[in-house]
Amino acid sequence: MPIYPPATVGMPLSEVDTPCLILDLDAFERNLKRLHESLAGRNVMVRPHAKSHKCPQIALRQIALGAVGVCCQKVSEAEALVDGGVGDVLITNEIVGKPKLARLAALAKRARVAVCADHAGNVAALSAAAQQAGITLDVLVEINVGANRCGVEPGEPALTLAQKISASPHLRFAGLQAYQGTAQHLRTVAERRAAIEAAAACVSRTTALLDKAGIACGKVTGAGTGTYIFEASSSVYHEIQPGSYIFMDGDYARNDWTESGIPRFEHSLLVWTTVMSRTSTDRAIVDAGLKASSIDSGMPRVADAPGVEYIKASDEHGVLQLNGAAGYEVGDKLGLIPGHCDPTVNLYDQYVCIRKGRVEAIWPITARGALL
């Protein structure tokens, strides 16, 4: 079955087929620069999370602006980024199972690769895979700083695991992974700041024990788009991992950013869609439904149309409540701001990159569907 691309370079946006994923290059590039400008004077490195974009072209642009590398969540994501020219990847996740561990060790021969662990059995398996590959693998202890997902408890449990890593001849203890994921979408600045202060206290307690035990903690890494300034200002984090800042999505837009120190990033990512049916005066149906935009963090928003609501999604259809808005006739095209950018990106094969109303480039989403 032939696959028809939605656009070609030089095409006007009005002719781009739908549904597809649009990247506004001007807004995207301003977001890239804004992050680094907001960190001026702070002694912290940037390692953006590539699970948001899954695209080597974007990762390389982040690195060109000063990022030390990228984060990934899966071995297959990391493989796609390394294949695309990225030389430094931290897998901010636990990798379990012989096939994945063998691939992880093989990848560490091609690039600088580190991984997280929160269980002694996984440390032993990582050591065995590294030994078989003839490498020394960097391993960070992931600590639970409030998200209650992965992560060994801070303090003594983390120290015990770091000691096991340090005692493994084919592993190198590389620091702590301390990401407070649930803090990212707490709506008020005060709530997010308090959550990161609590996370930083967990980190400080753990690094004090490591220091007392004579174990050097090379770095503490974590943070996301909703909180990264707080981690960067904490004096305990050495590296931050924001990802969604390059795109921004509907859920992040619901956060309060007032006096947070975090700039208001722009919505650079849109689901481009066409009105396909108009049988009601106050309702329009578009061709972007569940297969075009994730709704786990709420329905997409109609860009530049605050009175129009996207109220329902089925497999191939989205329902717009027009609330008296004019236009939205059959064939009209419009942009949707996805509620959650990461899983929305994973629905597409490429970004259609737009500048000043025309297609400038097509970037493949190389790590789409990278689940293993």
Side-chain angles (χ1 to χ4, degrees), residues 130-145:
Q131 180 179 12
Q132 187 169 0
I135 63 166
T136 299
L137 182 65
D138 283 349
V139 181
L140 290 80
V141 171
E142 181 169 10
I143 61 172
N144 177 18
V145 292

Side-chain angles (χ1 to χ4, degrees), residues 141-368:
V141 171
E142 181 169 10
I143 61 172
N144 177 18
V145 292
N148 298 321
R149 190 171 61 183
C150 295
V152 67
E153 291 305 305
E156 290 287 350
L159 170 62
T160 299
L161 197 60
Q163 289 171 326
K164 182 170 181 62
I165 294 168
S166 298
S168 301
H170 292 274
L171 304 181
R172 182 186 301 108
F173 173 62
L176 300 176
Q177 164 76 6
Y179 173 57
Q180 219 307 17
T182 58
Q184 303 310 311
H185 297 279
L186 295 174
R187 295 309 179 202
T188 72
V189 173
E191 287 175 307
R192 297 201 301 279
R193 183 180 284 114
I196 299 311
E197 287 173 353
C202 292
V203 171
S204 295
R205 179 156 54 93
T206 304
T207 54
L209 287 175
L210 291 168
D211 185 61
K212 185 176 180 181
I215 298 176
C217 182
K219 67 179 175 184
V220 176
T221 182
T225 295
T227 66
Y228 73 87
I229 283 290
F230 308 141
E231 283 95 344
S233 304
S234 69
S235 78
V236 302
Y237 282 80
H238 307 103
E239 189 177 86
I240 58 169
Q241 304 171 357
S244 300
Y245 75 97
I246 58 172
F247 297 144
M248 293 304 287
D249 55 31
D251 196 52
Y252 264 118
R254 288 189 278 272
N255 281 2
D256 177 21
W257 304 95
T258 309
E259 297 182 3
S260 66
I262 299 174
R264 280 194 174 271
F265 297 106
E266 300 175 51
H267 293 298
S268 68
L269 187 75
L270 296 174
V271 173
W272 194 235
T273 186
T274 301
V275 176
M276 61 185 294
S277 176
R278 181 73 191 276
T279 59
S280 166
T281 58
D282 204 35
R283 188 176 68 247
I285 310 302
V286 296
D287 63 358
L290 294 171
K291 295 179 183 178
S293 184
S294 170
I295 63 168
D296 64 292
S297 295
M299 295 294 179
R301 287 170 38 209
V302 181
D304 304 317
V308 179
E309 298 175 85
Y310 187 112
I311 61 170
K312 182 181 178 182
S314 52
D315 284 358
E316 309 291 355
H317 303 84
V319 180
L320 304 186
Q321 186 72 37
L322 301 182
N323 297 318
Y328 300 92
E329 300 300 330
V330 171
D332 288 352
K333 294 180 180 179
L334 57 127
L336 303 174
I337 299 166
H340 189 181
C341 56
D342 299 18
T344 297
V345 166
N346 197 49
L347 297 171
Y348 291 89
D349 292 317
Q350 64 268 310
Y351 298 100
V352 177
C353 303
I354 301 291
R355 197 186 305 273
K356 295 179 173 55
R358 287 195 173 269
V359 178
E360 182 171 300
I362 309 289
W363 291 345
I365 301 172
T366 311
R368 178 196 178 181

Side-chain angles (χ1 to χ4, degrees), residues 4-13 15-22 272 350-354 358-362:
Y4 299 99
T8 56
V9 172
M11 177 182 287
L13 176 58
E15 294 181 10
V16 172
D17 206 356
T18 66
C20 75
L21 202 59
I22 295 291
W272 194 235
Q350 64 268 310
Y351 298 100
V352 177
C353 303
I354 301 291
R358 287 195 173 269
V359 178
E360 182 171 300
I362 309 289

